[in-house]
């Protein structure tokens, strides 16, 4: 067939360009990065080489220089790819490869002008043999290091080596050749060349298949890791939720006795008024004025007890974690209602400075818990300090686009050795405590885009300052 070689090269070039465009996403998706991506450059060079081989007879026979340069460049870059699988490729090595390919092109052009067909083909075949041997040595290195490698690629490379050598031997023993271009080769050497280049195509199919296998394994591992991360995040949320619940008990446990005492007062007064009312009713000596007076007293006592219970409800009852717009001053008032008995029993004065219209978006129950933690810490610090004039200062002001809240006391402050880990989990300066309070305070505040820090107060005690985004 007159155009058999051209048609063969055209078919190979179509197949190779199909592999180029079909595997482009492997590079664009950055699943395979340089220098491991050398195989893709080698594939482009091989596709270009077969294209030049196909069109050279019709356009310009000198295109064979480009065809053979791209062919050898493809083999060299494929060997570099095999090398990159076991060790890093330096910049000097990359420039060396490029220089070698350019040098090969110049030598082949010289042989096109001054040499014979046997010299040109011998030059190409010898360099091809050396490149394939280099590829096999690099794959052997992978096996030595127990690195995963495309097994099918080894068979195709060995086949290429055999047929390259076979073509070289056959060509040398033709005495002398009666043709000057590969398009005039006899059927035997042309058939060997066709088989050789077919194996080259199979080599790239093997590499692409190996790359897809790696990506599949990596994607599977990524999915599994994402599932593990998701489970860990869920477990973290469950842990934090449990710590929040535990901390509610810790934060309010020290106040239980005084709260019970505070509740007993209105309940005890109500009990006495009820007994007095029953006695008057039994004797029939209850007049309207006295009845109204007793009922008014009962109502006052009932409202007093209800106020205490209502203040505690945000701490002891479960609530969702959804944020809502609230007045910071209202939350501070709730906390002060809760700690009022404790402050009274320990003779602690409150200095309060709260600006109007301090609107923040938080979960009210969580924010109450933060403020209660800080006030409770100040109460305990003052109780253990021996200070006679005990004072807690609560200040809430607008600072630009932020709301700044600080709670300070005039106690003894925090020892220097404890300051670095104040907000760490399970770290506490108290003899009794779980080390949850300040860690949870920071967790809650940062979740709403705020921050909390410790500093020594001007009065010598401790001062905790937090900042939250303002909605006004």
């Amino acid at each position: 067939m007159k155009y058999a070689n051209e048609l063969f090269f055209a078919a190979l070039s179509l197949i190779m360009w199909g592999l180029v465009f079909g595997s482009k996403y492997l590079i664009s998706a950055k699943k395979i990065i340089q220098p491991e991506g050398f195989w893709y450059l080698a594939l482009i060079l091989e596709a270009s080489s077969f294209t030049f081989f196909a069109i050279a007879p019709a356009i310009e026979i000198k295109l064979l220089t480009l065809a053979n340069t791209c062919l050898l460049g493809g083999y060299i870059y494929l060997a570099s790819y095999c090398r990159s699988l076991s060790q890093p490729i330096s910049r000097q090595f990359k420039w060396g490869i490029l220089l070698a390919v350019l040098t090969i092109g110049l030598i082949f052009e010289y042989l096109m002008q001054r040499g014979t067909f046997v010299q040109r083909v011998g030059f190409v075949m010898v360099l091809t043999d050396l490149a394939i041997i280099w590829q096999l040595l690099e794959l052997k290195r992978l096996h030595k290091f127990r690195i995963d490698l495309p097994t099918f690629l080894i068979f195709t490379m060995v086949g290429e080596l055999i047929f390259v050598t076979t073509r070289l031997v056959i060509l040398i023993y033709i005495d002398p050749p009666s043709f000057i271009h590969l398009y005039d080769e006899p059927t035997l050497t042309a058939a060997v060349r066709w088989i050789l280049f077919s194996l080259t195509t199979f080599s790239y199919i093997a590499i692409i298949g190996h790359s897809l296998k790696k990506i599949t394994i990596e994607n599977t591992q990524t999915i599994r890791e994402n599932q593990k991360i998701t489970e860990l995040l869920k477990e973290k949320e469950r842990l934090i939720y449990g710590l929040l619940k535990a901390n509610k008990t810790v934060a309010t446990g020290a106040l239980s006795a005084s709260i019970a005492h505070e509740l007993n007062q209105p309940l005890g007064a109500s009990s006495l008024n009820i007994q007095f009312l029953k006695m008057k009713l039994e004797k029939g000596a209850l007049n309207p004025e006295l009845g109204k007076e007793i009922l008014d007293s009962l109502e006052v006592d009932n409202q007093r007890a209800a106020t205490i219970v209502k203040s505690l409800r945000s701490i002891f009852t479960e609530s969702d974690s959804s944020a809502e717009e609230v007045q910071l001053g209202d939350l501070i008032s709730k906390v002060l209602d809760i700690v009022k008995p404790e402050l009274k029993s320990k003779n602690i004065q409150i200095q309060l400075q709260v600006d109007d219209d301090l609107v923040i978006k938080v979960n009210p129950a969580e924010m109450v818990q933060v403020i209660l933690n800080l006030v409770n810490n100040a109460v305990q610090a003052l109780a253990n300090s021996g200070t006679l004039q005990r004072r807690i200062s609560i200040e809430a002001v607008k600072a630009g686009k932020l709301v700044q809240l600080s709670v300070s006391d005039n106690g003894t402050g925090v020892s220097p050795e404890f300051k670095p880990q104040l907000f760490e989990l399970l770290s506490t300066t108290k003899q009794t405590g779980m080390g949850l309070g300040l860690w949870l305070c920071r967790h809650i505040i940062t979740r709403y885009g705020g921050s909390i820090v410790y500093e020594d107060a001007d009065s010598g005690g401790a001062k905790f300052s937090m900042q939250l985004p303002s909605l006004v």
Side-chain angles (χ1 to χ4, degrees), residues 143 226 317 320 325 332 346 351:
H143 180 71
N226 287 339
T317 59
D320 58 30
E325 296 183 9
I332 295 173
K346 290 183 169 58
Q351 288 185 343

Side-chain angles (χ1 to χ4, degrees), residues 357-417:
D357 295 327
L358 297 179
V359 182
I360 56 176
K361 190 172 184 178
V362 293
N363 176 268
E366 290 184 352
M367 196 61 196
V368 166
Q369 187 176 348
V370 170
I371 302 172
L372 179 61
N373 260 318
L374 299 180
V375 173
N376 191 38
N377 286 346
V379 169
Q380 295 183 17
L382 289 171
N384 298 326
S385 67
T387 305
L388 295 179
Q389 294 183 345
R390 301 168 179 175
R391 183 176 64 256
I392 296 176
S393 298
I394 301 176
E395 182 180 0
V397 296
K398 184 78 176 294
K401 295 183 178 180
L402 298 173
V403 170
Q404 183 168 314
L405 170 66
S406 63
V407 178
S408 60
D409 61 72
N410 63 338
T412 56
V414 177
S415 301
E417 63 268 22

Side-chain angles (χ1 to χ4, degrees), residues 415-465:
S415 301
E417 63 268 22
F418 290 115
K419 291 179 182 179
Q421 63 266 16
L422 264 181
F423 295 97
E424 292 181 7
L425 183 62
L426 305 181
S427 174
T428 180
T429 60
K430 306 173 187 176
Q431 294 181 351
T432 60
M434 298 172 64
L436 302 179
L438 290 177
W439 179 83
L440 281 173
C441 285
R442 185 177 64 176
H443 173 78
I444 293 170
I445 294 299
T446 54
R447 187 164 60 182
Y448 295 120
S451 62
I452 180 170
V453 296
Y454 168 82
E455 56 186 312
D456 293 329
D458 295 336
S459 57
K463 181 179 180 179
F464 290 90
S465 299

Side-chain angles (χ1 to χ4, degrees), residues 21-232:
F21 291 107
S23 57
K24 184 179 179 181
Y25 82 96
L26 294 175
I27 302 298
S28 61
K30 298 182 180 179
K31 293 292 185 181
I32 301 174
I33 58 174
Q34 296 288 358
E36 191 178 336
F38 277 154
W39 70 264
Y40 191 70
L41 179 57
L43 178 59
I44 293 175
L45 288 173
E46 296 287 1
S48 302
S49 171
F50 293 146
T51 302
F52 290 134
F53 278 128
I55 65 176
I59 298 179
E60 174 58 59
I61 202 68
K62 291 183 178 180
L63 287 175
L64 289 176
T65 298
L66 285 175
N68 285 280
T69 302
C70 290
L71 180 70
L72 290 171
Y75 282 108
I76 292 173
Y77 274 103
L78 189 59
S80 302
Y81 158 73
C82 296
R83 183 182 182 88
S84 73
L85 295 176
S86 61
Q87 65 185 74
I89 301 296
S90 66
R91 179 175 296 181
Q92 292 81 2
F93 184 87
K94 295 177 185 178
W95 283 108
I97 294 173
L98 180 59
L99 181 61
V101 173
L102 294 175
T103 303
I104 289 170
L106 293 175
I107 295 173
F108 189 87
E109 178 61 24
Y110 175 82
L111 292 176
M112 280 288 290
Q113 301 295 330
R114 304 292 180 86
T116 64
F117 175 78
V118 173
Q119 289 174 336
R120 292 195 298 272
V121 175
F123 173 72
V124 173
M125 292 298 100
V126 169
L127 290 183
T128 303
D129 263 341
L130 292 175
I132 294 174
I133 291 172
W134 181 15
Q135 294 168 11
L136 291 171
L137 290 175
E138 294 297 342
L139 292 180
K140 183 179 179 182
R141 186 199 302 267
L142 290 179
H143 180 71
K144 179 181 178 181
F145 292 139
R146 297 182 179 181
I147 300 175
D148 183 33
L149 70 158
T151 307
F152 183 66
L153 181 60
I154 299 175
F155 293 107
T156 58
M157 286 181 175
V158 171
E160 287 181 271
L161 182 64
I162 293 172
F163 281 97
V164 169
T165 307
T166 301
R167 185 177 184 227
L168 185 60
V169 171
I170 293 175
L171 186 64
I172 292 173
Y173 282 96
I174 295 178
D175 185 29
S178 58
F179 47 88
I180 60 173
H181 297 304
L182 60 86
Y183 304 101
D184 299 325
E185 278 188 282
T187 305
L188 179 59
T189 55
V192 172
R193 170 166 43 79
W194 292 350
I195 296 173
L196 165 63
F197 290 150
S198 298
L199 288 172
T200 300
T201 305
F202 287 141
S203 293
Y204 287 101
I205 293 174
I207 291 173
I208 293 172
H210 178 67
S211 300
L212 289 172
K213 176 185 174 183
K214 288 176 62 178
I215 290 175
T216 302
I217 293 174
E218 290 172 1
N219 286 342
T220 302
Q221 291 176 343
T222 300
I223 291 172
R224 291 176 180 173
E225 289 173 357
N226 287 339
Q227 290 175 343
K228 290 181 180 178
I229 291 172
T230 301
E231 290 299 321
L232 288 174

Side-chain angles (χ1 to χ4, degrees), residues 268-398:
S270 295
S271 178
L272 290 175
N273 281 321
I274 290 171
Q275 292 177 11
F276 180 73
L277 181 61
K278 287 173 64 177
M279 181 186 68
K280 289 293 183 180
L281 286 172
E282 289 174 355
K283 294 181 178 180
L286 183 64
N287 57 62
E289 292 78 9
L290 181 59
K292 185 178 184 304
E293 182 181 348
I294 296 173
L295 289 174
D296 288 342
S297 298
L298 286 172
E299 184 180 9
V300 170
D301 292 334
N302 181 66
Q303 288 178 348
R304 185 178 172 191
T307 299
I308 296 172
V309 173
K310 184 179 179 181
S311 298
L312 292 171
R313 185 173 299 170
S314 62
I315 299 298
F316 289 106
T317 59
E318 301 297 332
S319 61
D320 58 30
S321 59
S322 59
E324 59 184 79
E325 296 183 9
V326 293
Q327 288 280 353
L328 181 57
D330 295 340
L331 302 182
I332 295 173
S333 297
K334 278 189 177 182
V335 172
L336 293 180
D337 287 339
I338 295 171
V339 299
K340 188 185 299 182
E342 184 79 356
L343 298 174
K344 185 178 180 181
S345 64
K346 290 183 169 58
N347 194 27
I348 298 174
Q349 300 295 320
I350 289 288
Q351 288 185 343
L352 192 62
Q353 181 185 345
V354 179
D355 290 350
D356 296 331
D357 295 327
L358 297 179
V359 182
I360 56 176
K361 190 172 184 178
V362 293
N363 176 268
E366 290 184 352
M367 196 61 196
V368 166
Q369 187 176 348
V370 170
I371 302 172
L372 179 61
N373 260 318
L374 299 180
V375 173
N376 191 38
N377 286 346
V379 169
Q380 295 183 17
L382 289 171
N384 298 326
S385 67
T387 305
L388 295 179
Q389 294 183 345
R390 301 168 179 175
R391 183 176 64 256
I392 296 176
S393 298
I394 301 176
E395 182 180 0
V397 296
K398 184 78 176 294

